[in-house]
Amino acid sequence: MPYMAYDIYAMYLSHWYRFQVKGHEEYKEHSFRTVNMFLRRECLLVLHHIVLLTILLPVTLFFRNELGDFFIGCLFTAELSTPFVSLGKILIQLGLQDSILHKVNGVIVLFTFFLCRILLFPYMYWVYGQHYGIPVYRVPFHLPLSCTLGNICVLAPQVYWFYMLCRKGIRLYQRERKMRETASN
């Protein structure tokens, strides 16, 4: 719980610093306005953290009657991609977005994000099906409806963020290719 609160605060500081460095007048000091601008710009990410804090955490700690340890453990593996996402942001802030390290990290981000945040769900359902001797397509109907709906609610933003990461990767690749073509002409 403290990690999520700290992460929201760290995201705000990163946002504030980024705009302060760019010379935005309203970012000379912290204010309600800078917090409001952060919340508008990073609405989905902040909402994600708030939902995790207020819904997912209490459910996993208090309301699951000691069921679903495997699923909870698997969901923690989703965080394996976080250090690489953070490293990418740090490299950009250091002006190293054109470095080989940033490119390699980008590939690692896409791989770990897809593996640990998207493929994780079919894997969990497959393992559950193996354990109970049912085909994977029947698992959502074998689980309590709340678990299936919860998994959909957790998976949906992961798919969206992966889509956004892929779009960003394609844009960076196309930008670099144009720069190389311009330099060779």
Side-chain angles (χ1 to χ4, degrees):
M1 195 158 153
Y3 168 75
M4 287 296 180
Y6 166 77
D7 203 30
I8 292 172
Y9 178 66
M11 287 186 315
Y12 165 72
L13 289 178
S14 176
H15 167 87
W16 182 81
Y17 179 74
R18 186 171 58 245
F19 282 89
Q20 186 190 42
V21 167
K22 290 180 180 179
H24 290 263
E25 195 65 32
E26 56 272 354
Y27 284 88
K28 288 191 185 248
E29 57 186 41
H30 299 283
S31 67
F32 178 74
R33 183 176 173 153
T34 60
V35 171
N36 190 27
M37 291 171 78
F38 162 71
L39 291 174
R40 278 201 230 149
R41 185 173 176 93
E42 301 292 343
C43 179
L44 281 178
L45 202 51
V46 172
L47 180 64
H48 163 76
H49 282 75
I50 290 171
V51 166
L52 287 175
L53 275 173
T54 60
I55 296 172
L56 192 61
L57 185 70
V59 166
T60 59
L61 292 178
F62 306 113
F63 299 114
R64 60 185 181 87
N65 299 323
E66 298 185 22
L67 297 173
D69 289 342
F70 171 72
F71 288 104
I72 300 302
C74 283
L75 289 175
F76 282 126
T77 64
E79 292 303 316
L80 288 174
S81 64
T82 303
F84 303 108
V85 172
S86 298
L87 177 61
K89 290 182 178 190
I90 291 167
L91 291 171
I92 289 169
Q93 287 182 351
L94 293 173
L96 298 173
Q97 62 268 21
D98 295 323
S99 69
I100 188 73
L101 179 58
H102 187 262
K103 292 171 188 159
V104 169
N105 186 66
V107 170
I108 294 170
V109 166
L110 288 174
F111 177 75
T112 58
F113 201 96
F114 185 71
L115 185 69
C116 299
R117 292 185 181 234
I118 295 178
L119 280 185
L120 174 69
F121 289 89
Y123 171 73
M124 289 189 305
Y125 278 46
W126 177 77
V127 169
Y128 184 91
Q130 292 293 306
H131 182 73
Y132 286 101
I134 58 175
V136 71
Y137 67 87
R138 302 244 353 188
V139 169
F141 306 106
H142 194 262
L143 290 170
L145 181 60
S146 60
C147 291
T148 299
L149 292 176
N151 282 332
I152 290 169
C153 289
V154 172
L155 178 60
Q158 308 307 325
V159 172
Y160 172 75
W161 288 322
F162 184 70
Y163 168 74
M164 297 302 286
L165 285 170
C166 288
R167 276 185 49 192
K168 182 180 180 181
I170 290 168
R171 271 195 324 269
L172 292 174
Y173 173 76
Q174 288 173 339
R175 184 187 79 190
E176 184 174 313
R177 193 173 74 185
K178 278 184 183 178
M179 287 173 41
R180 270 192 262 132
E181 287 173 359
T182 304
S184 66
N185 289 334

